[in-house]
Amino acid sequence: MNDQTLTSAQRAERLQGMGCKRKRVEDIRFVQGKGSYVDDVKLPGMLYGDFNRSPHAHARIKKIDTTKAKAVPGVLAVLTAADLKPLSLHYMPTLAGDVAAVLAEDKVLYQNQEVAFVIATDRYVAADAADLVEVEYEGLPVIVDPFKAMAADAPLLREDIKDKKDGAHGQRKHYNHIFNWQIGDKDATDAAFRKADVTIKELISYQRVHPCPLETCQCVASFDKIKGELTVWGTFQAPHVIRTVASLISKIPEHKIHVISPDIGGGFGNKVGAYPGYICAIVASIVTGRPVKWVEDRIENLSTTAFARDYHMTTEIAATKDGKVTGLRVYTIADHGAFDACADPSKWPAGFFNIVTGSYDFPVAHVSVDGVYSNKAPGGVAYRCSFRVTEAAYCIERAMDIMAQKLGMDPAEFRMKNLIRREQFPYTSALGWEYDSGDYHVALQKAMDAVGYAKLRIEQKAKREAFRRSETRELMGIGVAFFTEIVGAGPSRNCDILGIAMFDSAEIRIHPTGSVIARLGTKSQGQGHETTYAQIIATELGLVADNITVEEGNTDTAPYGLGTYGSRSTPVSGAATAVAARKIKAKAQMIAAHLLEVHDDDLEWDVDRFRVKGNPERFKTMTELAWAAYNKVPPGMEPGLEAVSYYDPPNMTYPFGAYICVVDVDVDTGVTKVRRFYALDDCGTRINPMIIEGQIHGGLTEAFGIAMGQEIHYDDDGNVTTASFMDYFMPTAVETPKWETDWTTTPSPHHPIGAKGVGESPNVGGVPCFANAVNDAFKFLGSTHIAMPHDHWRTWAVAESLGLHQ
Ligand code: CDP
């Protein structure tokens, strides 16, 4: 069939554009083992670096002796803080306005902190020699519990800043205090609580977890002394930011730094910031004149690179007796570890935690967050969430269930009563966000109908009665969660990193034959960007997706961008892609008008061509126009067909979802079986439904891991007791439940294609849904709040504490 015989619909289908379940183009290389990751980079003369790390959580360093390590054959050098200090590189700036030690100088502040960096000709020699670095320590008292960090007699952790009265976010009230951040109307909120018929108050803690991507953090640094140029291959979610930071720290001009993020095996926020390994590899390469590779192992990844959560939220809701919420008050202690290395936009020390009013119409709210130092690893990254949104969603969704319980209302009915109504959008929340669009009641009703919610409650009632009669030892729990995400950081008025506005970019270049290369400032870590950005271009420009190459991760070729995290790729770079494509289309229209000898306005767009209005036989396809752009442009027009867009979004996007989970808990073993998990997501216009489903499956699996077992746990001495997959729950296909996915579509009114982000939604909504299900199982026995994680042992202990084992 040629073009003439195809209908518009057939031509549209051929493009594999937006809405198509296009197969992931990156999988062709991945399933054949042909991906190219950092550890695949092998350069002539390459050296390897490895760390000697502290066994203590808090100790003074009395002496470091590198003699034995240096004597190992194959070792070229051993770096300590004393070597980095003259270069002012023993500390590095963090994204949160603090500094973090690259190599510990006088003190170590958490277990496994980097103390010395051994450079050798072989990875295993480097590891063996690192063990031979002799460090004499004097142990100091440890802070593990963030609630004790600001006690009058708490040990002083950060001697380097002990006299600083002000931190990056204002006054510090204690030497272990980082910031206090408040938002909302305190007086109005206090008044709402005074007037309330019913109130609840609960400490809702979100335990410390870790993004634990399967590929750990790693880099190869190669300094060319002749050219004075530095090339760094790394697992960087934001390669341009790394280039700028590397230039600022090293003073190497930015144009002489080349940062390359090749294929990345999962990031989830873990690979946004800079780590001592990067700095040490760069310094080692400059010192030795040879490329240096640093690859962390699993224990190093779990115990030292950026953790997530560790938020302890004292949450109060005020409501009328008929179940209308009237106020929300949250006080949070945020444990940031030894250095404040949170990856948040500069102005937001608690990220977007003020989305904590969730999907509900709270007239007033007030939030106060205190960040504190402790003897734990630094971080506080947005693990598959948009800067503390997951903490906020867990907080409000648990609190709503607790309030429903107190009111004696069904949790779904209580939510229905308080959800923001469709006609209220755009909706400004009590804590200052403008939600772009939503149709919450339809989504929750669809979810309830899909699972047969009313019937499930009847079944649960019968089971509870059977339990009371001792006919069964199983409890049934039904978890409901309705979440609103805030993704797409961000409008430059609200969001920057190190002073760089959080826009993002796309550059599209059409070749004469109509094939395309597009380059973007974001960086996929498994999300399928090569597939989906091509789909946007295919629809916008009427060119077949298979003829479009999408490239990310090379700072020499990609336009400047702030990278991929916080589900910002679609809201920001997806928009930039559409805008750049539209610039190209506008030029193509002028070329078409010239070729067809009509006025621009006499043309209309039809899938893949401009045709003359009223005379559809006369047209020029986009492929023809690409050719013409290189030889037949109108007089005065420059040849070529390309455009770039740096897109500063006018607002965030607000995806949402309604999740329902059914669990059966065996009270004698604590074993909790997930019978059903239904997830309805609304991410506006859907670019690739199959990729969206994959994102939901992945995120729900992470949510299952977090809610049902994960915790980065420290003992009282600050030893990490969960630093390997033997102890840190990583769900495999064996444990992972079956997911049921569904959707509604409420486009974003301000996004050029109406799309919102989706990647993080399942992590954000999944965790409270599991938690609500487990809590729901026990609540008829008088329990109000059971803390995560809900592993079998803890769940058994809950049953024990409720007297169910007599
Ligand atoms: O920033 P990140 O890629 O992690 O998150 P995202 O923007 O939510 O996109 C994740 C993947 O889902 C990408 O491949 C998107 O193109 C795809 N997606 C989609 O197909 N439709 C949407 N409305 C949103 C995302």
Side-chain angles (χ1 to χ4, degrees), residues 527-529 532-533 564-571 683-689 691-692 695 755-760:
Q527 296 93 325
H529 290 180
T532 48
Y533 285 132
T564 289
Y565 41 85
S567 273
R568 63 188 299 280
S569 302
T570 304
C683 58
T685 305
R686 290 150 50 89
I687 300 162
N688 184 327
I691 284 192
I692 291 173
Q695 293 287 299
K756 304 181 178 187
V758 76
E760 312 175 336

Side-chain angles (χ1 to χ4, degrees), residues 619-630:
F619 63 83
K620 288 289 170 192
T621 65
M622 200 64 196
T623 311
E624 290 170 322
L625 294 169
W627 187 259
Y630 289 86

Side-chain angles (χ1 to χ4, degrees), residues 180-183 186 189-190 193 200-204 311-317 327-333 353-358 362 364-370 391-392 394-396 399 431:
N180 175 261
W181 182 72
Q182 295 198 28
I183 193 160
K186 185 169 185 322
T189 307
D190 291 347
F193 274 85
I200 59 117
K201 181 173 184 175
E202 191 69 50
L203 171 60
I204 298 173
Y311 252 41
H312 308 276
M313 305 163 285
T314 302
T315 311
E316 295 170 85
I317 293 182
L328 175 71
R329 198 157 53 190
V330 186
Y331 172 67
T332 297
I333 286 274
F353 185 68
N354 52 327
I355 193 79
V356 70
T357 51
F362 278 95
V364 288
H366 182 256
V367 159
S368 171
V369 181
D370 274 315
E391 290 88 329
Y394 177 64
C395 173
I396 188 63
L431 294 176

